[in-house]
Amino acid sequence: MNVLWVLFVAVLLGLLQAWLFHTFGQKRLEYYRSFSQDAVHEGDGVQLVEVLRNRKPLPVPWLRIESRISPFLRFRHSKGEEREINAEQYHKSVFFIAPFCQITRRHDITCEKRGVYSVGTLAITSGDLFAITQRVAERSLDCRLTVYPRLLPESELPPSAMRWQGELIVRRFIMPDPFLINGIRNYLPGDPLRNVHWGATARMGGRLQVKQFDTTSDPRALIILNVQTTEEQWGELMDYEQPVIEQGIRIAATMAARALSCGVDAGFASNACYQGEKGQGKCIYIPARRSAGQAEALFTAMARLQIFRELTFPQFLGDMTQVSGADIAILSCYTSPAVEEAMNRLRARGNTVELIRIGGEAAA
């Protein structure tokens, strides 16, 4: 009889603890996750930081948090080996957390492909000591990571891209224009006396100040990417066709970054669309500027780019009637009479236009 009472009490306590943890296990439980950086380049590392707080006197025997993770965000174990997560797998974190306690975990990730990744949709499962019951809840957090294209070394750039950029920089630093004054600086040996700013010299207590002139050439570089691999191609590319366009995006990012670093206005355009806007007829166009946030704007646009042809490339070039007086570099896998005709129309509006072949030899 005593054994039956012991069993009865044990079952009763088991059911009581199951009810207790099922009812209150996820109460006053806070979970946050974020990336250590908002944006990185392809190939860079970043950390996914998980923070779990228990703000009640009841412990949580076990808690499992699952979320879908892109296979292009590759997790690494603490020993350095990489753990592959394919399209059908979830990233899992299992916790035991004591009363009034906080746990922080950091996961090292290698970003293998450009894009915008969201890992904010979670499934949270908690249970009791003996796994009698489970409670599942879903939660959405704002946890995004932007992966910019990788910037290429000179050895990976097409020769025609290097030549185009070199000519652009030379035009940027030709003879100064005496009518364009952009500041005052200290006198240096060799400065002509006609450039001395006597008013500023007087204000500086007699220390000679000279006028600093802007250049007569202020080029605006516009880099245009064609996401078609052939004249007949339409819609999305097959997986095996996309690497050449991905390389074109990296070339465009590198050219834009180098132009901005040399003080040249830079912009980007493509007959592709942004992720989530496929089929709306909206193509990508970032006007050439030299503002503080221009590099971030260009890289973000390239990260969000979806390799999907919204417009045929000749039609896209023909619609760019707002562009004039720009130095245009066209990155394309091919050329055709229709493309050449569209390029000539751009030249007629005062632009310089050069076609740079990707996935092949540079065009003459």
Side-chain angles (χ1 to χ4, degrees):
M1 196 60 149
N2 291 335
V3 174
L4 292 176
W5 274 106
V6 171
L7 290 176
F8 174 76
V9 171
V11 171
L12 184 62
L13 290 176
L15 293 176
L16 179 62
Q17 66 86 29
W19 173 83
L20 186 66
F21 286 118
H22 181 79
T23 305
F24 301 103
Q26 294 192 24
K27 299 290 186 180
R28 302 187 67 183
L29 198 65
E30 299 177 358
Y31 176 80
Y32 307 95
R33 64 167 39 176
S34 62
F35 287 101
S36 57
Q37 301 178 63
D38 294 330
V40 295
H41 287 271
E42 275 181 308
D44 290 348
V46 70
Q47 286 188 331
L48 176 64
V49 183
E50 297 181 292
V51 179
L52 180 66
R53 295 192 187 101
N54 186 10
R55 296 187 178 275
K56 61 180 180 297
L58 183 71
V60 180
W62 64 269
L63 185 81
R64 184 175 66 242
I65 299 176
E66 301 173 289
S67 60
R68 288 287 294 271
I69 297 290
S70 168
F72 300 115
L73 300 181
R74 191 175 294 273
F75 283 70
R76 291 177 295 176
H77 291 306
S78 58
K79 295 180 180 180
E81 65 270 20
E82 295 184 339
R83 177 177 61 195
E84 183 175 356
I85 297 182
N86 60 41
E88 302 301 325
Q89 290 182 324
Y90 287 81
H91 173 253
K92 299 179 183 179
S93 290
V94 180
F95 301 87
F96 162 77
I97 185 165
F100 302 108
C101 183
Q102 173 175 309
I103 298 175
T104 301
R105 287 183 181 172
R106 300 177 182 273
H107 306 276
D108 292 323
I109 296 175
T110 301
C111 305
E112 295 193 337
K113 187 178 181 180
R114 65 163 189 91
V116 180
Y117 300 97
S118 175
V119 293
T121 302
L122 314 170
I124 302 177
T125 305
S126 61
D128 58 276
L129 291 169
F130 305 110
I132 297 174
T133 63
Q134 293 184 2
R135 184 167 188 172
V136 181
E138 291 188 357
R139 184 179 300 182
S140 294
L141 302 175
D142 185 14
C143 183
R144 292 178 179 270
L145 174 67
T146 301
V147 180
Y148 298 148
R150 179 170 63 92
L151 299 182
L152 303 175
E154 290 186 6
S155 59
E156 296 186 40
L157 290 174
S160 53
M162 295 295 299
R163 182 175 63 250
W164 176 82
Q165 190 165 21
E167 293 173 353
L168 189 68
I169 294 172
V170 167
R171 288 198 301 274
R172 173 70 180 89
F173 295 105
I174 61 177
M175 294 296 293
D177 190 331
F179 299 100
L180 299 177
I181 302 175
N182 65 7
I184 304 296
R185 60 173 175 82
N186 291 330
Y187 175 85
L188 297 176
D191 288 333
L193 290 178
R194 65 176 179 273
N195 292 342
V196 173
H197 193 295
W198 297 109
T201 299
R203 290 193 297 271
M204 296 298 292
R207 189 170 59 188
L208 286 178
Q209 303 292 304
V210 296
K211 304 170 186 176
Q212 189 169 356
F213 301 106
D214 207 342
T215 54
T216 57
S217 177
D218 192 14
R220 293 181 295 117
L222 179 62
I223 302 160
I224 301 177
L225 174 68
N226 179 12
V227 295
Q228 292 176 249
T229 56
T230 64
E231 187 80 0
E232 297 77 21
Q233 182 263 322
W234 61 278
E236 290 184 283
L237 297 178
M238 301 296 290
D239 290 344
Y240 69 87
E241 297 176 299
Q242 294 193 15
V244 65
I245 303 300
E246 291 289 349
Q247 184 68 2
I249 296 171
R250 297 185 191 106
I251 294 172
T254 305
M255 293 174 65
R258 288 171 177 249
L260 289 171
S261 67
C262 294
V264 176
D265 294 13
F268 175 70
S270 176
N271 60 334
C273 62
Y274 290 120
Q275 294 176 5
E277 298 182 2
K278 183 171 68 174
Q280 299 181 15
K282 298 179 181 178
C283 295
I284 297 173
Y285 176 62
I286 308 293
R289 296 191 183 94
R290 197 173 39 189
S291 60
Q294 183 69 354
E296 180 181 353
L298 293 174
F299 291 156
T300 301
M302 295 174 189
R304 294 179 56 203
L305 183 150
Q306 182 173 355
I307 303 178
F308 179 86
R309 189 219 71 179
E310 282 290 324
L311 296 175
T312 65
F313 196 56
Q315 180 183 356
F316 174 71
L317 293 180
D319 289 345
M320 300 191 71
T321 57
Q322 76 276 27
V323 179
S324 62
D327 293 272
I328 299 176
I330 294 177
L331 304 176
S332 178
C333 293
Y334 70 93
T335 186
S336 70
V339 171
E340 293 289 346
E341 182 180 352
M343 290 170 57
N344 288 331
R345 288 198 295 270
L346 286 173
R347 293 187 180 103
R349 288 194 288 271
N351 303 293
T352 64
V353 184
E354 181 170 348
L355 180 70
I356 299 172
R357 293 283 290 273
I358 55 178
E361 295 296 326

